[in-house]
Amino acid sequence: MPSIAAQDAKAFDETSDAIDSVNALKGQIWNTASEFDASKDKTQFRQYEDACDRVKNFYKEQHEKQTVDFNIKARVDFKSKKRARMGVWQAMEMLNTLVDESDPDTELSQIEHLLQTAEAMRRDGKPDWMQVTGLVHDLGKLLFLFGSEGQWDVVGDTFVVGCKFSDKIIYPDTFAANPDSVDPVYSSEYGIYQPHCGLENVMLSWGHDEYLYHVLKDQSTLPEEALAMIRYHSFYPWHREGAYQHLMNEKDLKHLEAVKAFNPYDLYSKSDERVDPAKLRPYYEQLIAKFFPAELDW
């Protein structure tokens, strides 16, 4: 398996966590009468200003480099390379090497965050497919272990490439150095797309959401709502800010509801009580077996 320096893993996790902290604090939270979300004291998470410099620097790089050309190349690479073959729990254990000892919000490992997300859904009586979606939703961060170009093509809020960059994207001014922002086609409202073509037909900026969606859409029996939760959970300009309505179709309305139902469990599960992976493993392995083969191509 690919290896990664400990300091790189720590820097990756610090950036990823800072992005989550900003998203947890800056926006309005959609509430589906979830006991879990209603009971959270969101003031206890890291303050926006503490994460701001790291996040600004991250997004400056991401916004400059996420071009149409890069995204086409990333998808070609995805289809032409097999990075690993392993089961879901093995993938969780591999992701667990990205442990951030400096995280001020939690001392939890990656695997514990996944289990906390799933357990919060389980306590709220969510269906088994949603629980297992919570369990796997961040496995796309394995990209960082599989030779990504940096952090900017793994984590961060996602957005549509191939049309005008929305002013609803965080730090929109940082797109000025992206060559697509002055391309006559890519900078137009619809760009390479047709009105109301549906988000399933657009390219989202390449990262852990898009990667995992492509891994699982043909290798699982997850319902389309689950796949939408995975693909769009970092698509904040859309599900929080209301951008890209001119590209949406009716199916996207159902997907939007699903992503909004998922989001609180992802953002606000970190401060829950510690979980015991060994104790929970039998329960979640039987859920994994319902929706995934024994091994998947990554």
Side-chain angles (χ1 to χ4, degrees):
M1 291 294 181
S3 61
I4 188 167
Q7 60 267 31
D8 291 339
K10 181 176 179 180
F12 173 85
D13 234 14
E14 287 174 343
T15 300
S16 179
D17 189 71
I19 291 165
D20 288 345
S21 297
V22 168
N23 281 326
L25 288 162
K26 77 178 283 283
Q28 297 178 351
I29 301 304
W30 189 84
N31 190 350
T32 56
S34 158
E35 292 182 9
F36 165 77
D37 187 46
S39 65
K40 299 302 291 187
D41 179 6
K42 304 176 184 69
T43 64
Q44 297 305 309
F45 290 84
R46 184 192 308 175
Q47 293 301 303
Y48 179 95
E49 293 79 5
D50 293 339
C52 199
D53 286 343
R54 178 183 291 275
V55 172
K56 282 182 178 179
N57 292 333
F58 166 84
Y59 278 116
K60 181 178 185 296
E61 183 177 21
Q62 185 204 46
H63 292 173
E64 291 174 357
K65 294 181 176 180
Q66 285 277 358
T67 63
V68 169
D69 286 347
F70 167 76
N71 274 270
I72 292 173
K73 177 181 179 296
R75 285 158 175 80
V76 171
D77 288 347
F78 168 77
K79 292 181 179 179
S80 61
K81 297 178 182 177
K82 182 186 292 186
R83 295 156 181 82
R85 181 167 179 80
M86 57 185 167
V88 167
W89 196 273
Q90 185 181 356
M92 292 167 59
E93 291 177 332
M94 185 177 180
L95 184 65
N96 213 36
T97 63
L98 292 171
V99 178
D100 177 15
E101 297 177 353
S102 68
D103 183 351
D105 293 336
T106 181
E107 297 179 353
L108 301 179
S109 63
Q110 294 284 335
I111 199 169
E112 286 178 286
H113 167 57
L114 295 177
L115 285 166
Q116 283 188 336
T117 302
E119 281 290 279
M121 294 174 174
R122 184 182 178 188
R123 288 194 299 272
D124 266 2
K126 301 301 182 184
D128 54 4
W129 64 261
M130 190 169 173
Q131 295 174 37
V132 82
T133 300
L135 186 72
V136 305
H137 76 280
D138 269 348
L139 289 184
K141 291 181 180 180
L142 287 170
L143 268 178
F144 193 63
L145 303 178
F146 291 152
S148 65
E149 295 197 13
Q151 301 185 26
W152 60 270
D153 61 335
V154 180
V155 294
D157 295 3
T158 56
F159 46 87
V160 180
V161 296
C163 66
K164 182 180 179 180
F165 295 118
S166 171
D167 61 4
K168 302 295 186 182
I169 303 170
I170 188 171
Y171 308 128
D173 293 345
T174 57
F175 282 104
N178 185 310
D180 290 359
S181 66
V182 294
D183 183 277
V185 175
Y186 301 153
S187 64
S188 62
E189 181 180 13
Y190 289 98
I192 60 177
Y193 310 113
Q194 297 296 318
H196 303 292
C197 61
L199 296 178
E200 63 186 333
N201 297 310
V202 307
M203 276 196 301
L204 295 184
S205 53
W206 186 254
H208 75 282
D209 299 24
E210 191 76 347
Y211 165 67
L212 185 62
Y213 166 73
H214 284 285
V215 168
L216 297 183
K217 68 185 181 71
D218 296 322
Q219 297 189 87
S220 76
T221 58
L222 291 173
E224 64 177 81
E225 292 86 353
L227 293 173
M229 292 173 180
I230 289 167
R231 188 183 187 212
Y232 302 130
H233 75 268
S234 300
F235 194 16
Y236 286 93
W238 176 59
H239 68 71
R240 175 176 287 170
E241 306 296 339
Y244 302 111
Q245 295 189 30
H246 60 298
L247 299 177
M248 291 173 60
N249 60 19
E250 288 190 10
K251 183 186 292 186
D252 294 322
L253 296 175
K254 180 171 66 172
H255 292 169
L256 179 61
E257 183 179 3
V259 177
K260 286 184 174 181
F262 172 86
N263 191 243
Y265 295 99
D266 180 22
L267 287 183
Y268 297 116
S269 62
K270 284 188 176 182
S271 60
D272 284 358
E273 295 179 3
R274 298 295 292 262
V275 294
D276 183 348
K279 182 178 180 180
L280 293 174
R281 182 171 180 170
Y283 174 78
Y284 284 105
E285 282 200 318
Q286 59 91 19
L287 287 191
I288 289 168
K290 288 182 65 174
F291 297 97
F292 303 99
E295 292 186 331
L296 295 82
D297 289 327
W298 297 86

